[in-house]
Amino acid sequence: MALSYKARRRWALVVLLIGMPIYIVVAVSVVSMLDRPSIWLEFLVYVVLGIIWIVPFKGLFKGIGQADPDAPQEEYDY
């Protein structure tokens, strides 16, 4: 079942407000388990965790910044 545009916008907001802080805690915890890696390895871990976190939500965020496609089109008389 496909979500409506409004439902996708709401879920995207929930994911950003709840999922993003959880991601930050997990990413910092994973990096802190390593014995102070080099800056490049630390950066790589953050990038990989960021990509892994957002991939499942790609469909949810797709088109959120666009105008509502379900909204009725207004006709203008010129």
Side-chain angles (χ1 to χ4, degrees), residues 22-43:
I22 291 172
Y23 156 71
I24 292 169
V25 169
V26 169
V28 170
S29 298
V30 167
V31 172
S32 70
M33 283 189 260
L34 304 172
D35 291 330
R36 191 61 187 161
S38 70
I39 190 75
W40 294 110
L41 180 61
E42 192 173 346
F43 177 73

Side-chain angles (χ1 to χ4, degrees), residues 1-77:
M1 181 176 154
L3 293 173
S4 69
Y5 178 77
K6 284 187 178 184
R8 286 190 306 136
R9 284 188 65 146
R10 289 183 187 126
W11 277 112
L13 186 61
V14 168
V15 167
L16 287 177
L17 292 177
I18 296 172
M20 182 67 79
I22 291 172
Y23 156 71
I24 292 169
V25 169
V26 169
V28 170
S29 298
V30 167
V31 172
S32 70
M33 283 189 260
L34 304 172
D35 291 330
R36 191 61 187 161
S38 70
I39 190 75
W40 294 110
L41 180 61
E42 192 173 346
F43 177 73
L44 182 66
V45 169
Y46 283 125
V47 169
V48 168
L49 288 175
I51 291 171
I52 290 171
W53 175 82
I54 202 64
V55 167
F57 300 114
K58 182 179 178 183
L60 180 67
F61 289 108
K62 197 171 198 175
I64 292 298
Q66 306 292 326
D68 186 356
D70 301 331
Q73 299 292 328
E74 296 180 16
E75 294 183 21
Y76 295 103
D77 293 328

